[in-house]
Amino acid sequence: MKITVVGTGYVGLVSGACLAEVGNDVLCLDVDFEKIRILESGRIPIFEPGLQEMVQRNVAAGRLRFTTDVEQAVHHGTVQFIAVGTPPGEDGSADMRYVLAAARSIGGFMTDYKVVVDKSTVPVGTADQVHAAIAEELFQRGMETPYAVVSNPEFLKEGAAVEDFMRPDRIIVGASDEQAILLMRAIYAPFQRNRERLIVTDVRSAELTKYAANAMLATRISFMNELANLAERLGADIEMVRQGMGSDPRIGYHFLYPGCGYGGSCFPKDVKALIKTAATEAGMNLQVLNAVETANNAQKHVLGCKIRQRMGDDLTGRHFAVWGLAFKPNTDDMREAPSLELIADLLAAGATIAAYDPAAMYEARRLLGDDPRIHYAHAPNDALEGADALVIVTEWKEFRSPDFDLIKARLKQPLIVDGRNLYDPALVRRQGFDYLAIGR
């Protein structure tokens, strides 16, 4: 099938590559000439395991192409996936200008039946706005070309996006047009050969499902973080509590790991957008989600608080090794990353930092600049030299079984502040470390 994907960011590029992988003829459109130049050179502008190889494979096979030509892209695909960004506005609402601009472009050039698919994470009611934008463009052109608008939200985890697309847990399709539903079933048939995973809903229910899912996961994280903070004060071990909770099948073990807060491009933005949608569209105050956001913002400062409690509020002359900058492993994404708050807290208290991340060093330099107080280490152990403590912010696999003797030898004092509870406290303390974790 001929498919157009509008947007070559995280969602668009993964979707386009995976759709091409199963044999579709995919044309990806982006108005960013530099991004298209990078893609045409065989590289990708984001870090995502397995994606670059998939892109290169399908480009070589002729199933995946890239363009900045809007008219060419609209004419190419019967199905037009809109996968552009919806960044948060100043008031927390999703910025819809790029989605609606894409819709107007489709309406401005389409000459035959199109299925326009909202793949971006968008507020409830967006499909109606997209439908209206296309209708307005067609009216101005004096055309009555038929089309359908579908909501098909993505459920991709950064760091596992290719696997998530190729082997989905569920595929949500919000639509009322029967021809559009048939086309969506055909597109997703290769991804659900062993059992039916496609759920057809009305459009608004599909739009809300995406926000509801992310809000639920964010709620579990903030709940466990609050319990971990409570466990510390009560003398309990949150890991034992987690195991006891997770053994209840009604709760399960997923997303019950406490830490130093969630970040990324999805959870913070989607929680804010759902709170804003409820307030402006329904006159509701979502008390639980407001508490989730408040708890998460506070949790991002927990590591800095632990350090100041141990060493004092004035950290002038103190130097810290920071392992992990991305908001989670297997990505270079630092949007809303807890590391940014930690670094800001330490610098504000007068400290200096040596930071390392396996994938996010370029992004860190872009965000933090060439601050002389921050040294960007080339390896995890290089960051340790002369540090007053090791602070772990991201749970990369290469941090899970370190050489503790080497760590102790390079640190000024044997102190580990672990924001992801990577280590067994008893084991680390037996090796002579002071170990500050989350709820342990």
Side-chain angles (χ1 to χ4, degrees):
M1 189 182 301
K2 290 189 174 182
I3 296 172
T4 293
V5 178
V6 183
T8 59
Y10 184 81
V11 174
L13 188 56
V14 171
S15 299
C18 291
L19 290 168
E21 180 78 0
V22 296
N24 293 295
D25 180 1
V26 179
L27 180 62
C28 291
L29 167 70
D30 205 297
V31 296
D32 187 332
F33 287 87
E34 177 61 18
K35 191 177 288 185
I36 294 300
R37 186 191 66 78
I38 290 172
L39 289 166
E40 289 181 332
S41 72
R43 295 176 292 127
I44 62 174
I46 58 175
F47 178 85
E48 180 62 38
L51 182 58
Q52 180 160 319
E53 296 81 359
M54 180 177 283
V55 168
Q56 292 173 342
R57 182 166 62 247
N58 284 282
V59 167
R63 294 188 297 265
L64 180 62
R65 292 173 292 130
F66 305 98
T67 187
T68 58
D69 188 327
V70 176
E71 184 173 3
Q72 178 194 8
V74 174
H75 289 318
H76 174 80
T78 299
V79 179
Q80 305 264 321
F81 282 88
I82 297 178
V84 297
T86 54
E90 291 184 4
D91 62 354
S93 62
D95 187 340
M96 299 304 300
R97 77 180 99 169
Y98 304 114
V99 170
L100 296 179
R104 284 190 288 269
S105 295
I106 293 169
F109 290 107
M110 60 184 284
T111 56
D112 55 3
Y113 176 77
K114 300 291 183 186
V115 176
V116 181
V117 182
D118 287 335
K119 196 70 174 169
S120 304
T121 300
V122 294
V124 176
T126 296
D128 294 338
Q129 297 181 51
V130 168
H131 196 281
I134 295 172
E136 182 180 351
E137 293 294 325
L138 290 173
F139 177 77
Q140 292 178 359
R141 295 170 59 204
M143 298 185 67
E144 296 183 358
T145 309
Y147 64 97
V149 178
V150 171
S151 175
N152 175 221
E154 55 84 13
F155 295 96
L156 306 177
K157 299 186 295 292
E158 291 194 45
V162 172
E163 178 71 13
D164 285 346
F165 198 104
M166 297 301 291
R167 295 176 177 83
D169 296 319
R170 76 286 207 199
I171 302 160
I172 305 296
V173 172
S176 56
D177 184 282
E178 288 301 323
Q179 185 176 352
I181 293 171
L182 287 173
L183 284 170
M184 295 301 288
R185 287 191 182 278
I187 287 173
Y188 283 112
F191 303 99
Q192 48 175 342
R193 291 179 61 85
N194 65 339
R195 67 177 175 86
E196 179 71 28
R197 292 179 170 85
L198 194 144
I199 301 170
V200 177
T201 71
D202 62 272
V203 173
R204 286 181 171 246
S205 294
E207 291 171 332
L208 183 55
T209 297
K210 168 64 176 182
Y211 279 115
N214 277 354
M216 182 63 191
L217 296 175
T219 299
R220 286 172 70 100
I221 293 171
S222 280
F223 179 72
M224 285 304 294
N225 285 338
E226 293 243 285
L227 280 186
N229 297 337
L230 177 62
E232 283 189 19
R233 297 194 179 193
L234 297 179
D237 185 340
I238 194 61
E239 174 59 19
M240 295 181 180
V241 175
R242 183 190 71 81
Q243 292 181 27
M245 291 173 60
S247 62
D248 185 331
R250 297 170 300 174
I251 298 173
Y253 293 100
H254 294 295
F255 280 80
L256 288 187
Y257 292 94
C260 49
Y262 62 75
S265 64
C266 293
F267 289 3
K269 173 175 70 73
D270 293 352
V271 168
K272 287 184 176 72
L274 191 51
I275 291 171
K276 183 65 177 180
T277 296
T280 58
E281 302 297 325
M284 289 181 61
N285 175 27
L286 297 183
Q287 298 178 62
V288 171
L289 286 189
N290 276 297
V292 166
E293 184 178 34
T294 299
N296 187 61
N297 290 337
Q299 196 69 14
K300 290 182 179 181
H301 297 280
V302 162
L303 295 181
C305 289
K306 287 178 178 290
I307 291 168
R308 290 194 302 273
Q309 287 170 1
R310 175 58 65 94
M311 298 184 174
D313 289 336
D314 184 1
L315 298 178
T316 302
R318 298 287 192 176
H319 181 65
F320 296 93
V322 175
W323 282 4
L325 298 170
F327 85 94
K328 63 180 286 188
N330 298 319
T331 182
D332 61 351
D333 194 343
M334 288 184 62
R335 285 173 287 185
E336 305 270 356
S339 64
L340 296 175
E341 299 297 337
L342 169 68
I343 289 171
D345 288 347
L346 294 178
L347 294 180
T352 58
I353 291 163
Y356 171 77
D357 188 280
M361 298 302 282
Y362 175 83
E363 183 67 5
R365 286 182 182 273
R366 188 184 72 81
L367 292 174
L368 300 170
D370 292 322
D371 190 319
R373 298 171 296 175
I374 303 174
H375 167 67
Y376 298 99
H378 296 292
N381 291 334
D382 293 342
L384 299 171
E385 198 65 50
D388 290 282
L390 165 61
V391 189
I392 300 170
V393 188
T394 313
E395 64 273 32
W396 286 91
K397 287 182 179 178
E398 66 181 82
F399 301 156
R400 293 182 181 178
S401 297
D403 184 337
F404 287 108
D405 290 335
L406 186 149
I407 292 175
K408 186 189 291 186
R410 294 199 176 187
L411 292 177
K412 283 184 182 177
Q413 53 185 302
L415 174 60
I416 297 176
V417 184
D418 185 355
R420 298 299 176 185
N421 290 355
L422 290 187
Y423 311 129
D424 179 346
L427 174 65
V428 177
R429 288 165 183 152
R430 276 201 303 270
Q431 300 197 43
F433 285 92
D434 284 336
Y435 182 63
L436 305 180
I438 306 294
R440 304 298 306 270

